[in-house]
Amino acid sequence: MFFLIDVNNFYVSCERVFNPALENKPVVVLSNNDGCVVARSNEVKLLKTVPMGIPFFQIKDIVKKHRIQTLSSNYALYANMSQRVMQSIQHFCPILEIYSIDECFVDVSDFDQAALIDYAGHIRNKIKQWIGVPISISIAPTKTLAKVANHLAKKSLSGVCDLRNPEIWNKTLSTFSIEDIWGIGRRLEKKLKSLNIQTAYDLMHYPAKQIRQLFSVNIEKTCYELQGIKCYPLEKFIPKKCIQSSRSFGRPVTELSELIEAISTYTSIACEKMRRQKSVVTTISVYLTTSRFNPLKNYYANQATISLQQPTNDTRKILASAIQAIKQLYQPNYLYKKCGISLLDLIPENQIQQDILMQVTHNTNISLIVDSINLKFGKNTILYGAEGIDKSWLAKSGSISQKYTTDWKELVVAKM
């Protein structure tokens, strides 16, 4: 038996914790460069005129008409709040799988099954009290059914949906659209509908073996999961095989020096993530591109891949290769929109195969020291020189809130 615990409108809810004036008001959070809508409050959803992902410039009149509060993404705040939520959930449910920044699956098979609804309500109240964000909890025998139940939990006054009763189970699936099923999406929607599979109920009763022949083993598993047969157990933490870091620039960039600053900044971010999962990189790929949507300027995009002499997680060594790559890619007289780096073929740091022809060194990895200082005193307390100081090319964040939980200078001030 599973709980699926999901924070409602996560980005918006995080902002409301520290700015109660946003409660009960229409709020949207925008993506990097304040480009697109990536989170909406329930008040905005009810308008039905602001779909997820819509470019902000297309809804400026709607924003003005309905007095919608707009905020820039504050990823430092959201990541820290997510960590607090997950740690709090683990206090009640030790066995969990963090599925995304705002949701997790919990194995409650060994819990008192008769008391699951009350326990779910208890968790909701405690998370709201301790962290300040509202959560929804669904209860079901499989992950896929828990995902279905989550849609209902968000609309329920109690914030809890129990999909264990066969009658409620079948009734729910009979009205649940096929494209909304976890793992289906729009790509498979048309193919399934061509077989007259319109709802989750239709898929549940379609011969699973035939589904596998027509589609894949994963869709077959989805079919079984809708029947209540568990095919997806909780997953343990699996280190990523690839880590990417990139951003669009806040303005067009033409100078190589600024591109070096940007790729150095993104490389530093990616390397810190890699060390956090105790991996090393063997290959890096750097890309550079102009905007596709500027008809007055020629389009240019290119990438360079570099194999490192020896696997490493030392930012200094990776920076040298990344800067070499961006210099190869740079062409003058272009207005660059974005660049980024991918750390490829990651392996565990304890599985490095030493090359007998390489000189073995035992230097302390300075990057680990930098990580520990930044963790203790705040992000970017220490930077690599290549990252620059001014960074006028950074993405726009015209309405970003404070780093309430990660920066001593931006803590909430309580006045009495």
Side-chain angles (χ1 to χ4, degrees):
M1 196 61 61
F2 293 100
F3 277 172
L4 174 58
I5 303 178
D6 184 14
V7 183
N8 301 339
N9 310 322
F10 180 60
Y11 291 176
V12 173
S13 295
C14 290
E15 298 287 354
R16 283 174 167 172
V17 170
F18 299 97
N19 187 358
L22 296 176
E23 290 286 351
N24 302 317
K25 292 184 179 179
V27 181
V28 296
V29 177
L30 305 177
S31 63
N32 291 322
N33 262 330
D34 294 345
C36 302
V37 174
V38 294
R40 304 167 296 166
S41 66
N42 287 335
E43 294 78 10
V44 173
K45 293 177 182 178
L46 288 173
L47 296 175
K48 297 183 179 180
T49 54
V50 183
M52 184 70 86
I54 189 170
F56 179 62
F57 73 87
Q58 294 183 11
I59 60 167
K60 284 188 175 180
D61 292 339
I62 298 173
V63 167
K64 185 177 181 180
K65 177 181 177 181
H66 296 282
R67 298 181 179 180
I68 299 175
Q69 302 288 320
T70 58
L71 296 167
S72 304
S73 294
N74 187 342
Y75 294 118
L77 173 66
Y78 308 150
N80 185 261
M81 292 293 284
S82 173
Q83 184 181 24
R84 291 167 184 244
V85 170
M86 298 306 169
Q87 288 175 344
S88 298
I89 292 172
Q90 205 161 20
H91 174 81
F92 301 100
C93 308
I95 305 175
L96 61 80
E97 172 196 335
I98 299 175
Y99 180 69
S100 67
I101 192 172
D102 62 347
E103 59 185 332
C104 67
F105 290 103
V106 176
D107 187 342
V108 291
S109 302
D110 295 333
F111 287 45
D112 182 355
Q113 299 300 297
L116 283 184
I117 294 179
D118 290 340
Y119 196 55
H122 175 68
I123 294 172
R124 287 190 75 248
N125 293 335
K126 286 300 181 181
I127 297 300
K128 180 65 175 177
Q129 178 186 352
W130 294 350
I131 312 297
V133 295
I135 65 172
S136 299
I137 302 179
S138 55
I139 310 169
T142 69
K143 283 184 174 180
T144 303
L145 285 172
K147 275 285 192 178
V148 172
N150 184 251
H151 286 258
L152 302 180
K154 289 183 177 181
K155 300 175 183 178
S156 169
L157 291 176
S158 67
V160 178
C161 177
D162 184 0
L163 213 59
R164 292 176 292 175
N165 184 297
E167 186 177 343
I168 299 175
W169 182 342
N170 283 283
K171 184 178 180 180
T172 300
L173 296 187
S174 66
T175 59
F176 199 82
S177 299
I178 191 69
E179 65 268 22
D180 292 331
I181 298 175
W182 186 41
I184 299 297
R186 295 180 181 178
R187 186 175 63 86
L188 293 172
E189 174 193 355
K190 292 182 179 179
K191 294 181 180 180
L192 288 165
K193 286 185 175 180
S194 69
L195 298 173
N196 202 29
I197 301 175
Q198 305 288 334
T199 66
Y201 185 86
D202 297 333
L203 181 59
M204 178 178 68
H205 287 282
Y206 208 89
K209 297 297 182 183
Q210 193 172 342
I211 285 290
R212 180 173 184 169
Q213 292 174 352
L214 293 170
F215 297 97
S216 69
V217 66
N218 288 329
I219 307 303
E220 180 192 23
K221 288 181 178 179
T222 298
C223 189
Y224 282 130
E225 287 246 324
L226 291 172
Q227 297 171 18
I229 303 170
K230 186 177 73 172
C231 297
Y232 298 111
L234 286 192
E235 293 184 3
K236 297 180 180 179
F237 172 72
I238 302 174
K240 295 180 180 179
K241 296 294 185 182
C242 170
I243 293 176
Q244 297 178 320
S245 180
S246 66
R247 296 285 190 279
S248 295
F249 303 133
R251 57 167 173 76
V253 170
T254 58
E255 299 298 323
L256 175 60
S257 59
E258 291 187 314
L259 292 175
I260 290 175
E261 287 184 3
I263 201 63
S264 299
T265 299
Y266 304 151
T267 299
S268 180
I269 293 171
C271 289
E272 194 275 331
K273 291 180 180 179
M274 174 177 58
R275 287 188 294 273
R276 201 184 306 157
Q277 70 171 33
K278 300 186 183 301
S279 296
V280 293
V281 63
T282 59
T283 307
I284 69 167
S285 178
V286 173
Y287 77 89
L288 180 63
T289 180
T290 62
S291 174
R292 293 176 179 272
F293 307 106
N294 189 343
L296 302 179
K297 299 293 181 180
N298 292 331
Y299 175 68
Y300 171 78
N302 206 348
Q303 70 173 29
T305 301
I306 296 178
S307 296
L308 305 179
Q309 284 186 310
Q310 191 174 13
T312 183
N313 58 16
D314 189 328
T315 299
R316 296 169 300 167
K317 297 177 181 178
I318 300 168
L319 270 177
S321 296
I323 293 172
Q324 174 190 341
I326 206 72
K327 288 179 177 179
Q328 293 175 3
L329 298 175
Y330 175 73
Q331 297 289 333
N333 304 320
Y334 280 101
L335 300 177
Y336 292 104
K337 177 66 175 177
K338 188 176 184 180
C339 73
I341 183 170
S342 298
L343 307 181
L344 307 173
D345 304 324
L346 299 180
I347 59 175
E349 62 182 8
N350 60 0
Q351 295 182 13
I352 299 177
Q353 180 69 45
Q354 295 288 351
D355 188 336
I356 62 173
L357 299 180
M358 294 286 292
Q359 182 178 0
V360 179
T361 60
H362 298 283
N363 294 335
T364 301
N365 190 338
I366 293 178
S367 301
L368 293 174
I369 299 174
V370 171
D371 290 345
S372 63
I373 293 173
N374 286 335
L375 181 63
K376 183 175 182 179
F377 296 101
K379 188 177 180 181
N380 295 333
T381 299
I382 293 183
L383 298 173
Y384 292 89
E387 296 182 52
I389 302 297
D390 179 42
K391 299 186 180 181
S392 60
W393 44 267
L394 277 173
K396 298 174 184 175
S397 298
S399 305
I400 193 168
S401 55
Q402 294 175 212
K403 301 181 183 67
Y404 298 106
T405 62
T406 58
D407 191 326
W408 287 108
K409 298 177 181 176
E410 298 188 21
L411 292 181
V412 173
V413 177
K415 298 181 180 179
M416 297 179 64

